[in-house]
Amino acid sequence: MIETDELLSIRAAELYYEENKTQDEIGSILRLTRWKVGRLLAQAKASGFIRIEIVHPRARRLPVERRLRDATGLTDAIVVSAAGVSGDDELQSRTAQAAADYLASLRPIPRTLGISWGRTLHDVSLHLKQDWAPGVNVVQINGGVSLNKRAGTAATTAVTIAHKASGSATLLPSPAILERLETKQAIESDRAVAAVLEMAAGASAYLYSAGQADEHSALVDSGYLTADQIAELVQKGAVGDIVGRYIDSAGNIVDPALDERTIGIGLDQLRAAKLAIAVIAGNSKHAVARAVVGSRLCSVLVTDEDTARAILGEDL
């Protein structure tokens, strides 16, 4: 009897989803009541015989979001579909679009938004619509003055986000990492820099991304670190960086000396923030995404479904 019901549920599902038959029509074909057809369809779905996939680029994976919130304690999780994605650039674009949508939906609107910089955040700024919010002031939370011509998105990102919100941008006029500790201390003691750091520490919300620990890091592209230096950090346990600070799988700083020469807010400030939105996507960032969520460096995560499943341990 159980096998008969299973076969009927599969047949009912085929007629309903593939032949576009109504439940009344299915009842007539299978000589069942409409109520019985409805029960068979529910049984097919509960048994995992039916898999519905929404393939629109802005589709979200709501069941994965629920599991992620329940398992990690995140305030919110936004998980985009990876269906039909042709490469990492498209996946990052989808995730950046989701982050832009989430940012625009925030209520209450953050009066001061602290942001990091990098390719992902730059993509978010491009996806934001004009007038996404009224009068949001944007402040850089870590140094980002370019050391070469290939990367120079820190100021552009902040200005773009602020301009589209009819607000103002406060830039941090400093490199991300200094070679000498005394130079970093001197810069931080400058009145203008200190004022920006104070504003960053008091931001209403934070928006930032994570960098992978390899030669493709934005900090390597920007000239702050070399590929060999990244390799040394990996040997110390680094899985990636947050606001320029390299962390291990438990969310701890892997190189205190390097961290002391890094300008910007500290990780403890992110952990203490009421609203800290991390935007992380791509296979190369699974490890750092696990570290960020596991060590509570964010309260909201915007990511792709493969990264979300990796955090949940469902990628095996």
Side-chain angles (χ1 to χ4, degrees), residues 117 119 150 210-223 225-226 230 240-241 246 285:
W117 59 273
R119 292 180 288 265
R150 287 185 295 170
Q212 67 263 45
D214 59 29
E215 69 275 13
H216 301 297
S217 166
L219 289 169
V220 173
D221 285 347
S222 301
L225 298 172
T226 66
I230 296 293
D241 77 279
Y246 279 86
K285 296 186 180 181

Side-chain angles (χ1 to χ4, degrees), residues 152-283:
T153 64
T156 303
T157 299
V159 170
T160 300
I161 294 175
H163 173 72
K164 289 183 175 180
S166 300
S168 62
T170 302
L171 307 180
L172 185 55
S174 165
I177 302 171
L178 279 302
E179 290 188 1
R180 299 173 62 85
L181 177 59
E182 52 266 36
T183 306
K184 181 250 191 179
Q185 292 171 336
I187 289 176
E188 284 190 333
S189 67
D190 179 85
R191 185 170 58 183
V193 173
V196 177
L197 291 173
E198 183 178 0
M199 181 184 296
S204 310
Y206 295 104
L207 177 72
Y208 54 96
S209 59
Q212 67 263 45
D214 59 29
E215 69 275 13
H216 301 297
S217 166
L219 289 169
V220 173
D221 285 347
S222 301
Y224 290 111
L225 298 172
T226 66
D228 288 342
Q229 288 174 312
I230 296 293
E232 292 176 6
L233 290 169
V234 170
Q235 288 182 344
K236 295 178 181 180
V239 295
D241 77 279
I242 303 295
V243 295
R245 302 180 186 276
Y246 279 86
I247 59 172
D248 61 18
S249 59
N252 300 315
I253 296 295
V254 298
D255 189 332
L258 175 65
D259 192 65
E260 286 182 352
R261 293 186 281 108
T262 301
I263 291 187
I265 67 171
L267 300 186
D268 288 343
Q269 289 172 291
L270 290 179
R271 288 191 177 99
K274 184 176 181 181
L275 179 57
I277 307 164
V279 188
I280 309 173
N283 292 340

